[in-house]
Amino acid sequence: MPQKPVSRQVYFTHILVLLAAVYLSACSGTKRIPEGDALFTGFTVKVKGKNDSSNRQSEMETELSATVRPKPSGSILGLRPKLWIYNTFYTEKEKGLKHFIMTKLGSPPVLISQVDTGSVSQVMSNRLHNRGYFNNSVSSAITSKNKKATIQWTANVSEPYRIRKIEYTLNDSLPIHKQIKQAQPESLLKPGEPYDLQNMTNERMRIDGLLKNKGYYHFTPDALIFSVDTMVGNRQVDMLMRLKRDVASRTLKPYTLDDIYIFANYSVGDSLSVSDTLSYKSYHYIPNEDFVRARHLLRNVFLVQDSLYTRQNHLLTLNRLAGLSAYKFSNIDYKIDTLNNDKLDAFIYLTPAFRKSLRVETQMVSKSNGFAGPGVTVSFRNRNAFRGSELLNVDVTANFESQVGGRGTGTTPEGNRQSKQQQGLNSYELGTQVSLTIPRILSPFELPNLRTEFVPKTRIGLGFSFLNRLAFFKMNSYNASYAYNWRPRKTLTHDITPINLQYVRLSNTTEDFEERLAENPYLRRSFENQFIIGSIYQLIYTTQVYPDRTSQVFNSLVLDGSGNMINALNSLRGVDKPTQDAPRTLFGQNYSQYILANNDFRHYFNFGKESQLVARLVTAVGYSYGNSNTLPFVKQFSIGGPNSIRAFRARSVGPGTYNIPDELSFSYFDQTGDVKLETNLEYRFPISGFFKGAVFVDAGNIWLLRDTFDDEGNLNKPGAKFNSKTFLNQLAVGTGFGLRVDVEFFVLRFDLGIPVQVPYLPKGQRNVLSDFDFSFGGETGMVLNIAIGYPF
């Protein structure tokens, strides 16, 4: 014990020396600055407007700051690692390792001489003018010290000019003038609002969009022009919007669709002959149905002969066709009909994707149950299996895994009954999964074609896996499913699996495992051979489809139920009520009955292009009843690991304050629960090039809804039951930091977790941060998580 503080002091000394070295290295960032010049390190923009009633000073400062070019040399906590790398590895050579590091990971100094303050000030003045500040002045001042310089821009503005009235010159009798007039009530330009050039541009775009959906195919925003009178006095302007006088006649008339040609097997360089044409429901299908049948493809075409051209139907058709797996590219072109110049002929070009592919992947598998190891997956894909753009996937997998979860540190506790064969808990898994995704809803009922830009899908799955947990058991799992997926809009996805079948069969159990099942009835019931027959519904809402938003949310709600329909049918048949010792069966095997809900909510706060703060909350509960006393083992919750609480190994926490005995510390199936609560907070930031960093705080635990007892009536897991009054004090808490190698298509993640609160320790000893000793292992040691992809 006396050596522990000394050890920590040595570690802290090393860290301080390292930080000092980095700081001193960063201070050398000015060594390559030419004499008489300085490193451009930062700037400020201040907008002063005492008489400005629009209260837009802060908004304008942000907008004007974006105009500064070039940007100053970037820094993190006052340090400039990219500049330090550039200076450290500087070379005149144009190739080699040093050149690669200098150019890819480093960044050259930004000199104050490179900043044209006069030009930047003029751009700022123009921006202010466009926002209604016609009388403005912008000045700049440079402050330089020790070869480092900053710039302060000051913009002086007064009350902006405001709109007094808006008029549309629409005296012509052409229908287009009436259409524009009808759009005026929803105008983005309002009397009394400040003059804003961007709003005027947006108003032209708005009218263009409305007219495009009224048949005006050739109309463009440039056909509209604004005249602005700034001489009406009292800082007001009058606006006049009209059509240009020299607009082409085709711009001013609506079009309807005539012939629609679909080139269903188009390749660049095709002659585009229409002589070999199949007529199907007024469409010209070229050349034939050898690739994709017309009746399947036309469910995704919303262009109809003799209907008015609309941009909405055009984009809807393009998006739906792009969602078909059989095609790589899709495009639609229009030409004025040769016989009727008020009509358009539509030409749809579809370029096929490679129909079949075979892919082999080797991977490092890391599972929520604490197993990790190498694996291989062989995937066959047919993107047009039955000439309806059906996607057929056949995956064959083989994984070899070793237990890395639990609290085991690699040595068997004294007195543990575990044999040498069991150490490491090696296992292997073989499996195959077949899935067929059909780009339409298959239903016994006639359903209308959904007008959504995303292709509705029917998904059929069938699979088998064989799992061999050496020294414990073998397990065969069979699954079959029938599901629907559709997205009514970008932010919302429904995925419903009305038929979800799974059968799990345990075999070849070892004597040691049988002893554990005999000692723990709860565990025994979890591993019973059983059917899972039910339905699953998942609802996903996300605003991440809008990448430019500062604030984004993601929420996934999963509702899962099993056995309810079968149990109801058995009740109607008069089958005896199920009991703990005599549950109802299906084909001689038990079936599970439960309901489960799992909600995963995430909030992303984006700071700039690469910095991000992410908050996450996971809540889940599963309740078994009727024919089951416990949830199936495959449905129970666990916590800890690289995508959960990273300061604890997978399945090493809970349930509740339950402290797993030493003889089970190498296990993986005793720390599961019916209730789960997890929350994470992570700040992500750039370091240099494709190196990213993160700091995080994780907290959570799992609990049981019921106490469990052995055959003698003794409590199996003390402290495991959920209590609404004490659960917050039972959370496992960890913190840490991480390094990510993000090369866009691949992210390799290293997260170092540090435990803060350990719930299974006695009260008063759960906060272990003060005993942190920089070691790996034990309740106070660090945990290194190596994973692929971001945790959430």
Side-chain angles (χ1 to χ4, degrees), residues 375-419:
V376 60
T377 299
V378 180
S379 300
F380 169 77
R381 175 174 291 186
N382 188 330
R383 296 177 177 83
N384 189 24
F386 304 106
R387 290 193 296 164
S389 192
E390 300 89 355
L391 177 62
L392 175 66
N393 273 309
V394 180
D395 295 330
V396 179
T397 59
N399 299 315
F400 180 84
E401 304 165 348
S402 295
Q403 172 71 7
V404 297
R407 293 182 220 152
T409 59
T411 59
T412 307
E414 185 177 353
N416 189 3
R417 66 186 178 188
Q418 177 174 304
S419 67

Side-chain angles (χ1 to χ4, degrees), residues 107-365:
S107 179
V110 180
L111 305 178
I112 194 68
S113 60
Q114 295 174 297
V115 185
D116 188 342
T117 55
S119 296
V120 174
S121 297
Q122 185 60 50
V123 172
M124 290 184 178
S125 180
N126 293 340
R127 289 291 182 94
L128 291 169
H129 186 279
N130 293 341
R131 297 296 294 272
Y133 300 101
F134 296 156
N135 301 316
N136 69 77
S137 62
V138 180
S139 60
S140 63
I142 299 176
T143 302
S144 183
K145 183 179 180 181
N146 296 329
K147 284 195 171 184
K148 296 180 181 179
T150 60
I151 306 176
Q152 178 175 328
W153 275 277
T154 303
N156 293 286
V157 299
S158 55
E159 177 71 10
Y161 277 66
R162 295 180 180 271
I163 301 173
R164 188 179 73 165
K165 64 178 181 179
I166 309 167
E167 292 183 354
Y168 287 21
T169 301
L170 301 171
N171 299 322
D172 200 299
S173 59
L174 289 174
I176 191 171
H177 292 87
K178 296 179 181 180
Q179 298 287 353
I180 296 174
K181 189 68 175 179
Q182 291 175 1
Q184 187 174 0
E186 303 299 325
S187 175
L188 303 177
L189 305 173
K190 307 291 184 184
E193 293 292 323
Y195 170 94
D196 194 316
L197 182 62
Q198 186 59 50
N199 281 347
M200 297 164 65
T201 301
N202 293 341
E203 175 66 5
R204 295 199 310 172
M205 295 292 292
R206 184 187 73 89
I207 293 176
D208 173 68
L210 291 173
L211 292 176
K212 283 290 198 303
N213 284 323
K214 298 290 185 179
Y216 292 89
Y217 170 75
H218 288 290
F219 192 86
T220 64
D222 293 339
L224 293 170
I225 189 171
F226 280 97
S227 298
V228 179
D229 184 0
T230 62
M231 304 301 292
V232 297
N234 198 26
R235 293 187 179 273
Q236 291 183 318
V237 298
D238 287 345
M239 289 187 176
L240 176 68
M241 191 191 74
R242 60 179 177 83
L243 288 168
K244 290 182 178 179
R245 295 184 177 87
D246 56 350
V247 173
S249 59
R250 66 176 188 174
T251 305
L252 305 178
K253 62 181 179 180
Y255 289 86
T256 57
L257 298 178
D258 191 17
D259 292 320
I260 301 173
Y261 299 90
I262 302 174
F263 295 87
N265 196 358
Y266 171 76
S267 297
V268 177
D270 283 357
S271 60
L272 302 182
S273 171
V274 297
S275 58
D276 187 11
T277 302
L278 172 68
S279 295
Y280 184 85
K281 292 185 177 180
S282 74
Y283 293 90
H284 304 288
Y285 202 74
I286 304 168
N288 50 51
E289 293 189 306
D290 287 345
F291 191 64
V292 175
R293 292 188 177 95
R295 63 188 178 91
H296 294 318
L297 188 142
L298 288 178
R299 295 182 64 86
N300 303 287
V301 176
F302 295 86
L303 306 180
V304 181
Q305 190 177 42
D306 295 328
S307 67
L308 200 65
Y309 162 85
T310 68
R311 177 187 283 175
Q312 184 180 41
N313 287 340
H314 168 85
L315 295 177
L316 182 59
T317 300
L318 268 182
N319 287 325
R320 287 286 288 267
L321 293 174
L324 298 179
S325 61
Y327 293 106
K328 186 177 182 180
F329 302 113
S330 59
N331 188 33
I332 305 177
D333 194 14
Y334 300 89
K335 295 181 180 179
I336 296 177
D337 188 78
T338 55
L339 300 178
N340 189 338
N341 59 11
D342 290 332
K343 289 182 175 288
L344 295 173
D345 291 334
F347 300 85
I348 302 174
Y349 305 107
L350 301 173
T351 302
F354 287 111
R355 185 167 183 171
K356 299 177 182 179
S357 63
L358 186 67
R359 182 176 62 181
V360 179
E361 285 186 0
T362 57
Q363 56 195 338
M364 179 69 180
V365 179

Side-chain angles (χ1 to χ4, degrees), residues 492-495 537-541 555-559 599:
L492 196 65
T493 301
H494 299 275
D495 194 290
Y537 171 69
Q538 182 179 25
L539 175 66
I540 297 177
Y541 173 78
N555 193 84
S556 172
L557 171 65
V558 177
L559 302 176
N599 195 78

Side-chain angles (χ1 to χ4, degrees), residues 530-533 562-564 590-594 627-628 630 632:
Q530 56 191 303
F531 284 100
I532 298 175
I533 304 175
S562 174
N564 299 306
N590 297 346
Y591 60 85
S592 297
Q593 189 173 9
Y594 65 85
N627 209 54
S628 299
T630 65

